[in-house]
Amino acid sequence: MQAGREEAEEVVPVPDGPPPAPSRPDAGQWTDESLLAPALFAMMDGVRAHAGGIYLLAPGEPVLEMAVMAGLPRAFAAPWERVGLGAPIPVAEALRERRLVWVGGEEEMARRYPRIALVLPYPFTLAALPVATTGTAFGSVFVTWPGAHPPELSDWERERLLSASGRLARSLEQRTAEGRPVRRGQDVAIGAPVAGVSSAVEAVRMVGRLPDGLCSLDLDGRVTYANGAASRLLGVPVRKLLGHPLWRTLPWLEDPVHQERHRAALISRQPTSFTALRPPGDWLTFRLHPSSNGVSVCVSPARGPAARAPVPDAVRAAAQPAVGLVAISHLVNLSGALTEAVCVQDVIDLVADEIMPAVGSRVLAVVAPEAGRMRVLGHRGYADPTIVDRYDGMPMSSPTPAAQVLASGAPAFLESEQEMRECFPDRPPVSDGMAAWAYLPLIASGRPVGTCVLGYPQPHRFGADERALLTSLGGLIAQALERARLYDAKHRLAHGLQSALLPRTLPELPGLEAAARYLAGTEGMDIGGDFYDLLRVGDRPAAVIGDVQGHNVTAAGLMGQVRTAVRAYSAVGQSPGQVMECTNRLLLDLDVELLASCVYLHLDPAGERVMAAGAGHPQPLLREPDGHVRPLDLAQGPLLGIDAEAVYRTVEFPFPPGSVLMLYTDGLVECPGTDVDAELAALSDHLGAAGDLPLDRVADGVLALTSERRLRTDDIALLLLRSLPRSR
């Protein structure tokens, strides 16, 4: 694949921003088979695609619903019948980004959309396009080709696809304006045999004389023809085969591996085969030959090692029902997404974006036990958020489904309001607008960590498969939630410790304007050894900035000790160099095997001068009143904590009114793969241009500049000091 092809894809000319859902009646009110199916068929025919589908935006939801499909069984797309607009799949991405999305094969699918590739690991190519006009977004369309299609989309294919999607969007816009919007069409069976037309008699006789079994399957896997040899080999009369999928009639074929071969043949359009055991001991070979309207199956006795292999006891056991494709997809999608979740809010957002659209729920809430009461960790979809807030702090003994599920660890599926009233007659009345609910216990490490509540706007029947799927999803959510709550607890601890060790506010000192910022690195516990301080020494200001080695609690604790030591040595009237020397000896006496860099200054705004000493720290920048920026050469001594006999010189510099000093830690300019000199030059240019602004704005601009230029990997401490004119 060519690098950067995704960025070069043709962009559909519609406005930026989230797509507005057109005003439509309730789902299911309109059906119009005369538009969607023909439009899809024409699009596929125009580019010789073998399958495709059209999605439309659900009314009032950021959700795409499949409206019509062609060329493949709809069951193959069941995991994606409803997808959130933020889902990482091509049809959603095409509408979000308003562009044609091209996937040039199974390797590219695995790289860009691994969750789809895990469920459909077959060779095929795919194009997805938005269906939108200048003013309205309606949905998306996709088409697919077998794996033999070239890995690049040709110019004529791109042009025809864009033209066809544009025509469809204009037709939908016109019908919506006329008050008859299109919701759903009838799936297209390409090349399906015409009812009432019989096969040639001689052809039937010829097939009947063949020793191999022959079956014809439609796109859904149902048997439409079988010869006598197939009946004898399979051990089932022809009349029982017709009209049913083979794996439904033959329990010994109900195996995920066998059904996967059928899907692989239809999607890739390549012949495939498998061997299966017909109890008690007959091995049969099935060869599948796909086409646009179904699959021809040739059945024959297995030859070679498979025919002579002993039959394991496990294979003789009755076949268990296979896990559905929908369940597999949801579990794969959620488990993959939850690996990216860091905090509790990440978990809430991922469940809302990945699972709610797929299972059809409209609202979500997650509650957890805390000191005998329920705490609402997060929610989504409620028109009135105060409805959920009423549960926050409710005793665990309250007569509510969420509390019972937390206590019992058993899920509760309430299919209607009547069932809710019958099961929980003492439940406080709640007008959440829902008519069915699933309460999923979140159990991790053998203990309940919360309850996930899914609400449905209409009565909803939870079948056995759906209950099993939702319960499994609850287990995945529980594990992610436990990790996330632990992370949040550590984050709060780290943030609290860091805040306690840094000044809450900067003092107002005569003749001086000041601003400070602290940012933890983008990785880790948001705690480190960077520090700053502004203090009064006699009748003059003093400032310090430093960086203790490390990004952990030990570094933060030592940082607090160094900051306290600087304050103590400053209070006795020592010069900047003497303060550095005393702090250096203290660090060595502590024997913590950590080093620190530091710059300490005495400021004399009235005398228009600054005296400073440094210990291996980045040189401060001085912006002079005329806008010129230069680094201060402090002739620094070694890092603190290395040499007890180290000497630190005090250097004096002019500091006239209007001057700005920038003190910073190395995280502002140093990062792997960057040029420190280039970063310093950019920082100096920014300070020179923005130095006349209020220092709070200057500080925010400096941090924004750093974020734009590179990913932050280290802590940043920033202290800005401006000498004010005497008249102020």
Side-chain angles (χ1 to χ4, degrees):
M1 303 303 298
Q2 295 178 356
R5 188 178 62 229
E6 295 93 316
E7 290 76 3
E9 295 292 0
E10 190 150 352
V11 175
V12 179
V14 297
D16 293 333
S23 175
R24 297 193 179 113
D26 291 339
Q29 180 174 339
W30 291 94
T31 60
D32 195 326
E33 301 171 5
S34 64
L35 175 62
L36 296 181
L40 179 59
F41 180 81
M43 182 181 296
M44 292 169 53
D45 187 59
V47 294
R48 304 190 186 104
H50 81 294
I54 296 175
Y55 284 84
L56 297 179
L57 277 168
E61 294 183 85
V63 173
L64 289 168
E65 296 179 327
M66 179 170 285
V68 65
M69 187 169 178
L72 288 172
R74 197 178 187 98
F76 286 15
W80 304 283
E81 281 276 355
R82 283 172 52 90
V83 297
L85 201 54
I89 68 172
V91 290
E93 184 175 308
L95 188 55
R96 285 197 312 271
E97 302 183 5
R98 308 297 199 278
R99 67 180 180 91
L100 186 153
V101 175
W102 168 252
V103 184
E106 56 186 326
E107 290 187 8
E108 187 175 1
M109 182 69 79
R111 176 172 56 86
R112 294 172 57 191
Y113 307 101
R115 301 178 198 172
I116 294 180
L118 283 172
V119 180
L120 299 176
Y122 314 120
F124 68 97
T125 57
L126 178 145
L129 303 92
V131 178
T133 61
T134 301
T136 309
F138 291 95
S140 300
V141 61
F142 77 91
V143 293
T144 65
W145 294 263
H149 186 283
E152 301 289 342
L153 189 65
S154 67
D155 291 340
W156 69 268
E157 288 172 326
R158 177 180 289 104
E159 181 181 353
R160 291 189 181 185
L161 288 172
L162 292 169
S163 298
S165 66
R167 287 194 300 271
L168 176 58
R170 291 190 292 272
S171 298
L172 289 170
E173 185 177 52
Q174 179 179 353
R175 297 200 179 209
T176 301
E178 295 171 355
R180 52 192 189 100
V182 177
R183 289 299 309 145
R184 188 182 180 95
Q186 183 177 7
D187 291 349
V188 185
I190 300 176
V194 181
V197 179
S198 61
S199 302
V201 174
E202 187 56 36
V204 174
R205 290 175 178 172
M206 179 192 70
V207 171
R209 290 192 292 265
L210 293 176
D212 289 341
L214 298 176
C215 299
S216 179
L217 312 181
D218 64 13
L219 290 176
D220 291 314
R222 294 185 295 261
V223 178
T224 57
Y225 174 80
N227 66 355
S231 175
R232 290 191 299 273
L233 288 168
L234 300 176
V236 177
V238 171
R239 67 179 183 277
K240 291 187 177 181
L241 293 172
L242 296 177
H244 305 286
L246 279 176
W247 39 88
R248 296 286 175 80
T249 308
L250 307 171
W252 45 274
L253 276 183
E254 195 167 358
D255 185 300
V257 175
H258 305 152
Q259 296 177 42
E260 187 272 340
R261 291 293 84 203
H262 176 244
R263 287 196 300 271
L266 281 177
I267 293 175
S268 68
R269 289 293 194 265
Q270 296 177 359
T272 187
S273 64
F274 63 87
T275 301
L277 173 68
R278 173 193 164 189
D282 297 326
W283 290 93
L284 299 176
T285 296
F286 292 76
R287 295 188 296 277
L288 284 65
H289 301 272
S291 70
S292 61
N293 53 23
V295 177
S296 296
V297 181
C298 180
V299 185
S300 61
R303 297 175 176 84
R308 299 186 297 271
V311 182
D313 293 339
V315 176
R316 295 182 183 274
Q320 298 298 318
V323 178
L325 190 62
V326 176
I328 293 173
S329 173
H330 291 342
L331 291 171
V332 167
N333 284 345
L334 186 61
S335 61
L338 288 177
T339 60
E340 305 166 6
V342 175
C343 61
V344 170
Q345 190 57 50
D346 288 346
V347 176
I348 303 295
D349 292 342
L350 284 167
V351 174
D353 295 339
E354 298 279 346
I355 296 303
M356 284 177 62
V359 301
S361 67
R362 189 63 56 87
V363 300
L364 161 75
V366 176
V367 299
E370 186 176 303
R373 295 183 177 274
M374 291 189 295
R375 295 298 180 190
V376 177
L377 301 182
H379 56 83
R380 179 78 73 86
Y382 288 91
D384 182 6
T386 60
I387 292 175
V388 189
D389 295 338
R390 297 173 194 168
Y391 286 91
D392 196 45
M394 188 175 290
M396 289 288 296
S397 57
S398 59
T400 62
Q404 176 180 296
V405 168
L406 267 173
S408 67
F413 299 98
L414 304 170
E415 300 181 343
S416 65
E417 293 183 75
Q418 180 180 353
E419 187 173 356
M420 172 69 82
R421 288 192 297 268
E422 291 174 353
C423 296
F424 298 92
D426 299 327
R427 170 180 179 258
V430 177
S431 302
D432 60 359
M434 298 295 107
W437 301 263
Y439 291 83
L440 309 177
L442 306 180
I443 300 175
S445 303
R447 61 183 182 85
V449 297
T451 298
C452 178
V453 184
L454 298 173
Y456 299 76
Q458 304 295 331
H460 184 87
R461 182 182 178 277
F462 297 96
D465 290 345
E466 186 174 6
R467 294 183 182 216
L469 169 62
L470 291 174
T471 303
S472 299
L473 293 174
L476 294 175
I477 297 169
Q479 295 174 31
L481 185 63
E482 185 180 41
R483 294 194 304 269
R485 295 196 73 185
L486 179 61
Y487 172 85
D488 283 352
K490 291 181 177 179
H491 183 273
R492 287 193 298 270
L493 174 63
H495 184 74
L497 176 59
Q498 191 80 55
S499 299
L501 294 174
L502 293 173
R504 294 187 178 182
T505 59
L506 295 178
E508 293 186 8
L509 300 175
L512 196 68
E513 179 188 358
R517 296 291 185 271
Y518 174 84
L519 288 179
T522 53
E523 298 178 359
M525 286 183 59
D526 285 358
I527 188 169
D530 290 19
F531 68 97
Y532 62 87
D533 203 356
L534 182 63
L535 56 152
R536 184 190 299 267
V537 178
D539 59 349
R540 296 178 182 178
V544 63
I545 194 164
D547 183 359
V548 176
Q549 177 186 12
H551 300 278
N552 51 35
V553 174
T554 302
L558 184 59
M559 173 264 283
Q561 292 176 296
V562 171
R563 178 173 166 246
T564 302
V566 170
R567 275 184 165 263
Y569 296 132
S570 300
V572 298
Q574 294 184 336
S575 68
Q578 291 171 328
V579 170
M580 288 289 95
E581 291 171 5
C582 292
T583 306
N584 175 51
R585 288 192 291 270
L586 172 68
L587 196 60
L588 286 164
D589 290 341
L590 292 174
D591 194 24
V592 292
E593 297 183 355
L594 291 179
L595 306 179
S597 67
C598 188
V599 166
Y600 176 73
L601 309 95
H602 281 171
L603 299 126
D604 183 5
E608 300 183 5
R609 61 183 185 144
V610 58
M611 292 171 290
H617 197 82
Q619 304 280 24
L621 296 179
L622 175 65
R623 181 188 187 272
E624 298 173 338
D626 61 1
H628 176 68
V629 178
R630 63 185 178 92
L632 294 183
D633 184 6
L634 301 186
Q636 300 191 49
L639 291 170
L640 303 178
I642 294 179
D643 181 7
E645 303 300 325
V647 176
Y648 298 88
R649 293 177 53 196
T650 298
V651 183
E652 184 175 318
F653 295 93
F655 191 46
S659 301
V660 177
L661 266 174
M662 177 185 286
L663 311 178
Y664 56 91
T665 55
D666 57 5
L668 189 66
V669 294
E670 294 182 9
C671 183
T674 62
D675 185 340
V676 175
D677 292 337
E679 295 292 328
L680 278 172
L683 194 61
S684 299
D685 291 343
H686 179 81
L687 181 61
D692 290 329
L693 297 173
L695 289 187
D696 280 323
R697 291 183 59 183
V698 177
D700 291 339
V702 167
L703 296 185
L705 175 69
T706 302
S707 298
E708 290 174 1
R709 292 175 62 84
R710 57 183 170 81
L711 177 66
R712 189 175 74 254
T713 58
D714 196 3
D715 306 333
I716 294 175
L718 174 67
L719 181 60
L720 296 172
L721 304 169
R722 172 182 284 142
S723 176
L724 299 177
R726 295 181 186 180
S727 60
R728 298 179 60 181

